[in-house]
């Protein structure tokens, strides 16, 4: 009876999508055929950190796939320079076309002949990159207006090579005669790039110090097939957009540190003026030299470094105050060791950290009340209220953060790969560390699932947001957070203590035990992956290739892909 009920249920579901048995059979045949095709190419990217230009270049070149296909096809027939030109044309067709046409005109060469040769070559590359996909899938990916023509060129049914060549030439000659060559080249280039990457994985940190995370997100929104795993910097921006003040202060501080307040002001409409005015007044006579912004290219630098340094210092002190308030509010976070403002002796110029006394390199803190160091001044309260309102009501920011919430997860399982950004908390013996989170004792997959559900609630369950929102800051900085996983984030020490011994951040055992195959197998099994070809893929951990480090570890079980995008 139960089997009969199940059959009826499935037949009812099928009837909603297909009109009759013939349509169902056709779909089954199609799916079975697809299963026997080679897998589509997946690209894994991590730690983009707002660096739009290198990110989009890697997307355009398909992570090197396109150039590799060009070399396979034409390695023995055209020169290295011609292959490089063809590759660049595919990556950036509009820009490269202008340069090539200008050069052809200067040299009085035949443009139509160049079109004829180039279109032939592009068709060959298109055939190569689309060979693993069904004809239907390829046709759906073609730019509107050229579907029929490109489909014909890729799938000519001419009976012999001479007829096929004559057929090709007739179509291409017509394209040239109709002055559609540029548009057709652009369409073929777009199709090649589309076919080069079937699915894109972003394993964390779209945001951070780079100038244009907004453009990165706009590009990702248009990508045909994508999944994302949140990174620690993403979590901070997500918390800021939901109104967590400590996360807001952290975001503003990092933007000031890397001279990138423009992303807040010009792109997201966040009003920094109250903070700027406050900083100029409070630190008028302070050179704030330890807060000078980190600038990659001095030639391009146009802002006043001293003013930026003052803003940087002002928001840093506010951040430490707000963090202290959260630590006191949540004793369950077990982060009392990060309460350092009350461990400073400003008259004698030292601070106590982990029981050790260190000399402070700066004692000018006019906004800190030594009797209540974590209390914001009246002006600081106003500044944070305005910043909080700006972050919560920025339409552009909230659209981008919503995209992260909708497309992202803490971890993803895809084609027998377990993807996450940073770590899974472990004990020294390689067992999963049990953590208290929101009143529950959890570990391993159960812990990550609980965090994932909580992060979603913070954004989507607005009515109950207030009692959960502090979690977003906790996940950014807690030693037990899978987004971080270090004993401390030594931000205070790096600013105010010159002794680098105080900067030491001990990593969770995951970071060194994950290099062992047995540990990786245990993690994969925890997430239901027992296949021999299963892998862990995570970012966050820089791979020092120049020092001989390999991104492939644990006998191939672990792949570390921190892209090192940030300049």
């Amino acid at each position: 009876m139960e089997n009969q009920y199940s059959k009826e249920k499935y037949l009812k579901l099928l009837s909603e999508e297909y009109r009759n048995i013939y349509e169902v059979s056709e779909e089954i045949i199609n799916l079975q055929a697809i299963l026997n095709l080679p897998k589509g190419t997946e690209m894994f990217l991590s730690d983009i950190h707002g660096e739009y230009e290198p990110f989009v270049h890697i997307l355009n070149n398909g992570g090197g796939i396109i150039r590799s296909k060009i070399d396979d096809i034409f390695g023995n027939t055209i020169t290295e320079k011609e292959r490089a030109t063809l590759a660049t044309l595919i990556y950036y067709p509009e820009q490269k076309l202008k340069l090539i046409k200008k050069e052809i005109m200067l040299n009085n060469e035949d443009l139509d002949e160049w079109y004829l040769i180039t279109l032939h070559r592009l068709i060959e590359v298109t055939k190569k990159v689309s060979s693993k996909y069904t004809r239907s899938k390829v046709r759906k990916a073609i730019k509107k207006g050229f579907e029929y023509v490109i489909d014909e060129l890729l799938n000519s049914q001419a009976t012999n090579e001479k007829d096929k060549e004559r057929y090709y030439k007739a179509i291409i000659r017509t394209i040239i005669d109709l002055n559609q060559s540029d548009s057709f080249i652009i369409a073929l280039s777009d199709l090649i790039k589309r076919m080069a990457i079937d699915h894109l994985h972003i394993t964390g940190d779209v945001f951070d110090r780079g100038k244009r995370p907004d453009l990165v997100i706009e590009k990702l929104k248009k990508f045909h097939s994508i999944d994302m795993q949140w990174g620690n910097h993403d979590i901070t921006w997500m918390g800021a957009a939901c109104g967590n003040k400590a996360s807001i202060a952290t975001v503003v501080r990092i933007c000031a540190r890397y001279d990138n307040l423009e992303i807040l002001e010009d792109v997201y409409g966040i009003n920094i003026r109250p903070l700027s005015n406050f900083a100029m007044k409070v630190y008028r006579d302070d050179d704030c030299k330890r807060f000078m912004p980190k600038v990659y290219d001095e030639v391009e630098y146009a802002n006043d470094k001293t003013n930026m340094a003052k803003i940087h210092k002002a928001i840093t002190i506010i951040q430490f105050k707000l963090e202290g308030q959260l630590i006191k509010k949540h004793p369950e976070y077990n982060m009392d060791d990060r309460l350092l403002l009350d461990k400073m002796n400003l008259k004698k110029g030292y601070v106590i950290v982990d029981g050790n006394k260190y000399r402070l390199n700066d004692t000018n803190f006019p906004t800190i009340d030594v009797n209540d160091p974590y209390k914001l001044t009246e002006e600081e309260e106003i500044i944070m209220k305005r910043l909080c309102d700006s972050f919560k009501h920025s339409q552009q920011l909230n659209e981008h953060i919503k995209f992260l919430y909708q497309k992202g997860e803490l971890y993803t399982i895809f084609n027998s790969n377990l993807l996450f950004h940073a770590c899974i908390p472990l004990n020294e013996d390689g067992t999963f560390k049990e953590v208290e989170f929101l009143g529950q004792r959890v570990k391993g997959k159960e812990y990550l699932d609980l965090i994932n559900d909580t992060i979603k609630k913070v954004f989507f369950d607005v009515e109950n947001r207030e009692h959960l929102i502090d979690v977003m800051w906790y996940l950014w900085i807690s030693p037990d957070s899978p987004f971080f996983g270090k004993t401390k984030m030594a931000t205070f020490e790096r600013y105010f203590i010159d002794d680098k011994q105080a900067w030491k951040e001990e990593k969770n055992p995951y970071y060194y035990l994950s290099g062992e195959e047995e540990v990786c197998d245990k993690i994969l099994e925890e997430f239901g992956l027992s296949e021999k070809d299963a892998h862990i893929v995570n970012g966050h951990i820089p791979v020092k290739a120049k020092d001989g480090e390999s991104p492939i570890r644990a006998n191939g079980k672990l792949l570390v892909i921190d892209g090192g995008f940030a300049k």
Side-chain angles (χ1 to χ4, degrees):
M1 188 69 182
E2 188 175 342
N3 287 339
Q4 181 65 29
Y5 173 74
S6 296
K7 282 183 179 179
E8 289 178 2
K9 182 175 71 172
Y10 289 126
L11 286 171
K12 186 177 180 181
L13 287 171
L14 282 171
S15 69
E16 292 174 5
E17 297 290 332
Y18 306 98
R19 290 175 297 180
N20 52 53
I21 194 171
Y22 303 108
E23 287 190 0
V24 174
S25 300
E26 183 181 44
E27 184 64 15
I28 291 172
I29 293 166
N30 180 50
L31 292 173
Q32 191 63 45
I34 290 171
L35 286 173
N36 285 281
L37 287 171
K39 273 200 305 186
T41 303
E42 299 170 45
M43 175 180 278
F44 300 79
L45 289 177
S46 180
D47 298 87
I48 299 164
H49 291 309
E51 297 286 0
Y52 176 71
E53 290 182 5
F55 159 73
V56 81
H57 181 64
I58 286 178
L59 275 192
N60 283 343
N61 67 38
I65 291 169
I66 292 171
R67 179 57 196 266
S68 174
K69 300 296 185 187
I70 290 171
D71 289 343
D72 288 346
I73 301 166
F74 302 112
N76 297 319
T77 55
I78 65 176
T79 66
E80 162 70 23
K81 183 179 178 181
E82 287 175 311
R83 298 199 302 275
T85 298
L86 183 61
T88 307
L89 178 65
I90 293 168
Y91 307 158
Y92 306 101
E94 293 94 338
Q95 299 94 319
K96 192 63 177 176
L97 272 167
K98 290 178 182 177
L99 295 174
I100 290 172
K101 288 163 72 174
K102 185 178 180 180
E103 186 178 345
I104 288 172
M105 289 178 68
L106 287 172
N107 296 328
N108 291 317
E109 295 173 353
D110 189 338
L111 180 60
D112 283 359
E113 183 181 357
W114 179 84
Y115 278 137
L116 192 65
I117 294 169
T118 301
L119 287 167
H120 269 290
R121 289 173 179 173
L122 288 173
I123 290 160
E124 291 304 309
V125 178
T126 307
K127 285 182 179 179
K128 186 81 172 176
V129 297
S130 62
S131 60
K132 62 170 66 175
Y133 304 112
T134 64
R135 183 173 178 177
S136 171
K137 183 168 184 172
V138 175
R139 184 158 185 170
K140 287 175 183 176
I142 299 171
K143 191 174 183 179
K144 298 298 180 186
F146 291 111
E147 303 101 308
Y148 173 77
V149 177
I150 292 177
D151 184 56
E152 281 295 297
L153 288 168
L154 297 180
N155 302 285
S156 171
Q157 299 300 311
T159 54
N160 60 63
E161 286 301 317
K162 279 190 176 182
D163 289 343
K164 187 182 290 187
E165 185 67 22
R166 194 179 298 115
Y167 184 61
Y168 277 5
K169 282 185 177 179
I171 293 175
I172 292 172
R173 175 53 62 187
T174 304
I175 292 167
I176 295 170
D177 291 344
L178 292 173
N179 294 319
Q180 292 297 305
S181 301
D182 288 3
S183 297
F184 201 72
I185 286 171
I186 292 168
L188 283 173
S189 298
D190 288 346
L191 180 60
I192 290 166
K193 287 181 283 192
R194 165 66 178 79
M195 292 290 101
I197 307 170
D198 189 48
H199 187 84
L200 178 63
H201 306 280
I202 303 293
T203 59
D205 280 353
V206 169
F207 285 97
D208 185 20
R209 63 205 68 180
K211 297 288 185 183
R212 299 309 303 264
D214 60 307
L215 294 181
V216 173
I217 291 177
E218 287 299 323
K219 189 75 173 178
L220 293 175
K221 284 168 70 175
K222 296 172 184 173
F223 205 82
H224 50 273
S225 183
I226 183 175
D227 62 63
M228 304 177 73
Q229 297 75 52
W230 304 309
N232 52 320
H233 288 280
D234 301 327
I235 285 296
T236 310
W237 279 78
M238 289 157 70
C242 291
N244 179 267
K245 290 180 180 178
S247 298
I248 290 170
T250 301
V251 165
V252 177
R253 177 185 63 81
I254 292 173
C255 287
R257 181 175 175 79
Y258 294 99
D259 182 38
N260 193 22
L261 290 178
E262 287 88 349
I263 186 65
L264 297 177
E265 295 180 291
D266 300 341
V267 176
Y268 292 130
I270 308 294
N271 186 9
I272 302 296
R273 182 57 63 85
L275 173 64
S276 175
N277 292 340
F278 170 77
M280 298 310 129
K281 179 180 67 176
V282 172
Y283 298 105
R284 181 178 60 246
D285 300 322
D286 189 336
D287 60 14
C288 298
K289 63 180 181 180
R290 297 185 182 278
F291 291 86
M292 290 295 175
K294 292 182 177 291
V295 181
Y296 177 72
D297 192 341
E298 293 285 349
V299 176
E300 293 182 2
Y301 191 77
N303 296 322
D304 187 322
K305 275 190 177 182
T306 305
N307 289 346
M308 187 66 71
K310 294 181 192 301
I311 295 171
H312 184 188
K313 184 172 183 178
I315 195 63
T316 299
I317 300 304
I318 291 173
Q319 176 190 322
F320 292 146
K321 288 183 178 184
L322 292 168
E323 290 180 342
Q325 291 175 17
L326 286 183
I327 292 168
K328 289 188 170 189
K329 179 182 175 183
H330 296 282
E332 72 275 14
Y333 289 177
N334 295 315
M335 292 176 64
D336 285 358
D337 61 314
R338 302 315 299 151
L339 293 171
L340 298 176
L341 295 186
D342 61 336
K343 307 298 188 301
M344 296 192 299
N345 187 319
L346 298 181
K347 288 184 179 179
K348 295 184 178 180
Y350 68 80
V351 62
I352 304 297
V353 180
D354 298 328
N356 300 307
K357 183 188 287 188
Y358 295 98
R359 178 151 296 282
L360 290 165
N361 57 35
D362 187 349
T363 57
N364 183 32
F365 304 123
T367 67
I368 292 180
D369 180 350
V370 293
N371 297 313
D372 193 358
Y374 300 104
K375 182 180 180 181
L376 296 181
T377 67
E378 187 176 341
E379 282 186 274
E380 287 172 331
E381 289 277 12
I382 293 170
I383 287 165
M384 287 311 303
K385 184 182 184 307
R386 289 181 177 177
L387 282 173
C388 190
D389 288 342
S390 288
F391 269 86
K392 289 194 329 187
H393 297 114
S394 168
Q395 183 176 349
Q396 179 80 336
L397 176 60
N398 275 275
E399 283 181 8
H400 287 173
I401 296 301
K402 187 176 181 180
F403 175 76
L404 290 186
Y405 271 102
Q406 289 175 330
K407 288 292 182 180
E409 303 282 347
L410 197 163
Y411 71 89
T412 300
I413 296 172
F414 193 100
N415 278 345
S416 299
N417 293 318
L418 172 63
L419 291 79
F420 54 86
H421 180 65
C423 73
I424 296 174
L426 300 177
N427 297 310
E428 290 285 350
D429 62 358
T431 57
F432 296 106
K433 183 177 181 180
E434 189 175 73
V435 176
E436 182 177 335
F437 185 72
L438 297 179
Q440 300 183 49
R441 302 293 299 181
V442 285
K443 60 184 178 180
K445 182 178 183 296
E446 186 182 15
Y447 179 37
L448 269 63
D449 286 339
L450 180 57
I451 290 174
N452 193 76
D453 291 344
T454 304
I455 291 171
K456 296 274 188 178
K457 283 180 184 176
V458 169
F459 187 79
F460 293 109
D461 189 1
V462 178
E463 289 185 6
N464 298 305
R465 175 182 290 174
E466 286 306 313
H467 81 281
L468 289 175
I469 196 170
D470 294 346
V471 164
M472 302 303 284
W473 174 80
Y474 168 86
L475 292 172
W476 153 255
I477 204 168
S478 167
D480 290 328
S481 169
F483 295 101
F484 182 55
K486 296 181 184 178
T487 52
K488 66 179 181 182
M489 189 177 290
T491 310
F492 178 97
E493 292 89 334
R494 290 175 182 272
Y495 278 116
F496 300 124
I497 300 173
D498 290 334
D499 187 344
K500 292 185 179 181
Q501 186 62 32
W503 300 6
K504 190 175 181 182
E505 301 170 343
E506 294 182 10
K507 297 177 179 179
N508 181 270
Y510 170 85
Y511 290 104
Y512 49 87
L513 292 178
S514 58
E516 299 177 11
E517 187 174 359
E518 182 182 350
V519 172
C520 287
D521 284 337
K522 189 181 297 183
I523 292 171
L524 289 166
E525 185 178 350
E526 170 76 0
F527 287 83
L529 293 170
S530 56
E531 299 93 329
K532 283 187 177 181
D533 60 347
H535 306 91
I536 296 170
V537 182
N538 74 260
H540 191 66
I541 309 167
V543 179
K544 298 175 183 176
K546 64 180 182 180
D547 296 335
E549 287 186 2
S550 171
I552 304 171
R553 300 171 187 176
N555 196 25
K557 289 286 184 179
L558 173 66
L559 308 175
V560 182
I561 59 162
D562 184 338
F565 280 90
K567 292 178 181 178

